[in-house]
Amino acid sequence: MVLQVRFIYLVRKIRTLGIGITVAAIVIYFFGLLVAGNNQREGFESVNLLSVVALAAAVPLTLFIKRVMLKKLSMDNFQTVYFNAHVVPFAVMDFFALFCLSTNLLVNGNVIYATIAACITLAGMILLFPKEEDFEKIGPGAQDER
């Protein structure tokens, strides 16, 4: 019972962090829209496209990182490992999101790519959020299943 309460508290803490990162990225998107029309540079379209592709590739990468890190999960280390298995992918996703949004809005204004990037960021962060059904992975029989 105590373990389950700790887990629920940890899930809420991770969700709060994830929501904060997501809201920050969306706020940067909206404020970037204010200056996007002023920044038009010739020859930068490939950089814009490359940043969106890198962000899209970051989604499965972060899901893979999370899955690999969760394999080390046990009852003894669940707080540290479970927290890190979410924070590290959040950081990777945030890096690629901020790179893509700043490239597409601040460096070379491309509102279409920036909007796609904001949608990818939102979807990627939602996929990375912790799930309360993950508790079964650290239960008493979890070691036998792996």
Side-chain angles (χ1 to χ4, degrees), residues 68-79:
V68 167
M69 292 181 79
L70 285 177
K71 286 184 181 179
K72 300 174 186 171
L73 198 62
S74 69
M75 289 179 76
D76 298 330
N77 65 3
F78 87 93
Q79 285 183 307

Side-chain angles (χ1 to χ4, degrees), residues 11-84:
V11 165
R12 288 183 181 164
K13 190 163 67 168
I14 294 168
R15 282 188 183 159
T16 303
L17 180 64
I19 290 169
I21 291 171
T22 305
V23 167
I26 300 302
V27 166
I28 289 170
Y29 165 72
F30 283 117
F31 280 118
L33 288 176
L34 299 175
V35 297
N38 300 334
N39 300 327
Q40 295 294 328
R41 295 197 173 114
E42 295 296 322
F44 264 78
E45 292 81 20
S46 60
V47 175
N48 289 35
L49 181 61
L50 182 65
S51 67
V52 173
V53 169
L55 176 61
V59 174
L61 173 70
T62 55
L63 292 171
F64 176 75
I65 292 170
K66 177 182 168 184
R67 188 176 47 165
V68 167
M69 292 181 79
L70 285 177
K71 286 184 181 179
K72 300 174 186 171
L73 198 62
S74 69
M75 289 179 76
D76 298 330
N77 65 3
F78 87 93
Q79 285 183 307
T80 305
V81 171
Y82 195 75
F83 186 77
N84 290 341

